[in-house]
Amino acid sequence: MEKIPSRRLSTSQNTRPEAGLLYLVATPIGNLEDLSFHALEVLKGVDGIACEDTRHSRPLLDHYGIDRPLIALHEHNEDRISNGLVERLLAGENLALISDAGTPLINDPGFPLVRAARAMGIVIRPIPGPCALIAALSASGLPSHRFTFEGFPPRKSAARQTLFESLKEDPRTLLFYESSHRILETLVDVGKVFESDRRVVIARELTKRFETIVETTAGGAEACVLESQAMQRGEFVLLIEGSPPRRHDDALTAEQERILTILLKHQSVKSASAMTAEITGARRETLYREALKMRGETSD
Ligand code: SAM
């Protein structure tokens, strides 16, 4: 079997030039064709592939003619076997870690192995690819420049609502994974905690035949999923729009703004803001700043 040709670190960067590399290889989240060329090359070349469930990964590996030895690494044994895998890496073997789907360590096993390998100076190579949360975020139409991924919400409704309450004021887009067993009850809690017009996107069965990405609201999400049996099946990423920016404490009300606009037509900035302050009780400084903006002048 050919050794992996590409991207080996030079010895000047590698603290253990004699050691092998640990590859973290992303695999498809539904569509088998989403395995990258680089991932294929790596998986064909390593000495062993650690995977969550060998029965689950076999069809993918067979599909691509990958016949490397498999090592079971899952949440129940990873603390125990990670050091053994690090020994193998130190002895010069190249290993890959994959999970059942998507990117390893993203709500999947591998953290103890990566920690142990890094502690021993093993070079770790991510081979990026599918990840359900990133796929969902990119297609959601919700702001993607700032987001927070919260994994699976708690199973119990009370704990779930507490978590949602703690995130309610967060301005970032909120992302969760959810299973078909709990999607409905989770959406009920979304409706209880978030403002009813908060935008919600339900991304279901991404990259699969029945892929569905629907936009609804916190108030309408439960009904949206109740609409059809199909909407309650499969794998889900749930996205909730971040909290809208707070109105600045001294922002003007519509009425204050209206009066200021009228007075500005007839008065200087100074007197229009003073008069509006007297009529409405709003702060004169705030009105003055707003009046300058309305006139196209700046207060700073
Ligand atoms: N490591 C994976 C990744 O990179 O996305 C996530 C693994 S996590 C154990 C599995 C959860 O991811 C599912 O319950 C679901 O919430 C989400 N997920 C995985 N594949 C998905 C898909 N095709 N469509 C929607 N959600 C998916």
Side-chain angles (χ1 to χ4, degrees):
M1 167 61 56
E2 192 180 77
K3 281 279 173 192
I4 295 160
S6 68
R7 287 213 306 163
R8 227 182 196 295
L9 284 185
S10 72
T11 47
S12 62
Q13 286 172 281
N14 192 346
T15 52
R16 288 189 181 268
E18 72 292 352
L21 302 184
L22 172 60
Y23 292 89
L24 306 178
V25 182
T27 56
I29 56 171
N31 186 333
L32 286 192
E33 303 303 314
D34 287 337
L35 191 78
S36 75
F37 287 120
H38 194 190
L40 180 57
E41 175 196 39
V42 166
L43 292 175
K44 282 193 165 175
V46 287
D47 299 296
I49 302 173
C51 55
E52 262 188 284
D53 180 344
T54 52
R55 282 164 311 175
H56 183 99
S57 295
R58 189 68 73 188
L60 173 77
L61 301 174
D62 286 348
H63 180 80
Y64 284 102
I66 299 162
D67 63 355
R68 308 314 299 145
L70 301 185
I71 308 147
L73 179 141
H74 43 73
E75 58 175 334
H76 304 296
N77 74 354
E78 59 178 338
D79 287 328
R80 184 162 44 81
I81 73 160
S82 289
N83 286 340
L85 294 179
V86 171
E87 291 298 322
R88 288 175 62 172
L89 289 158
L90 289 171
E93 285 190 55
N94 292 311
L95 299 177
L97 171 67
I98 62 175
S99 58
D100 280 354
T103 301
L105 276 86
I106 304 301
N107 265 107
D108 269 336
F111 181 63
L113 175 60
V114 169
R115 284 297 287 243
R118 286 193 75 83
M120 295 307 289
I122 304 280
V123 173
I124 300 172
R125 287 285 196 204
I127 310 294
C131 180
L133 78 104
I134 297 299
L137 178 66
S138 62
S140 67
L142 294 180
S144 52
H145 60 298
R146 291 184 74 203
F147 63 91
T148 172
F149 171 57
E150 298 289 326
F152 287 90
R155 289 165 181 236
K156 296 236 166 77
S157 176
R160 205 159 45 218
Q161 288 187 41
T162 304
L163 174 70
F164 290 162
E165 287 288 355
S166 75
L167 294 168
K168 197 175 163 184
E169 303 297 328
D170 197 318
R172 298 168 295 176
T173 298
L174 311 175
L175 285 105
F176 302 91
Y177 281 163
E178 194 48 287
S179 74
S180 54
H181 311 298
R182 269 183 297 278
I183 187 69
L184 195 54
E185 49 190 89
T186 291
L187 291 176
V188 170
D189 289 339
V190 166
K192 283 183 186 158
V193 174
F194 292 91
E195 307 87 336
S196 65
D197 60 349
R198 188 81 80 95
R199 290 202 289 163
V200 165
V201 173
I202 302 167
R204 178 183 155 265
E205 295 289 87
L206 294 169
T207 78
K208 303 184 200 177
R209 185 159 168 225
F210 296 110
E211 177 181 274
T212 320
I213 303 173
V214 283
E215 183 179 325
T216 172
T217 57
E222 180 193 356
C224 172
V225 164
L226 276 174
E227 242 167 44
S228 81
Q229 282 294 317
M231 269 306 283
Q232 294 165 48
R233 285 197 287 268
E235 298 189 283
F236 294 84
V237 182
L238 171 64
L239 304 95
I240 303 173
E241 178 185 21
S243 171
R246 270 172 182 277
R247 268 182 80 91
H248 198 263
D249 277 343
D250 55 11
L252 298 188
T253 64
E255 181 62 2
Q256 290 162 348
E257 209 171 297
R258 194 180 70 81
I259 293 170
L260 183 60
T261 310
I262 295 169
L263 289 175
L264 264 179
K265 286 184 191 153
H266 311 283
Q267 304 286 331
S268 68
V269 166
K270 197 172 167 198
S271 25
S273 20
M275 290 166 83
T276 312
E278 208 172 319
I279 297 166
T280 67
R283 291 180 64 224
R284 189 188 287 214
E285 298 85 325
T286 309
L287 291 160
Y288 187 79
R289 211 173 42 238
E290 286 305 310
L292 282 178
K293 274 196 221 152
M294 288 176 183
R295 281 266 171 95
E297 298 166 34
T298 167
S299 60
D300 28 59

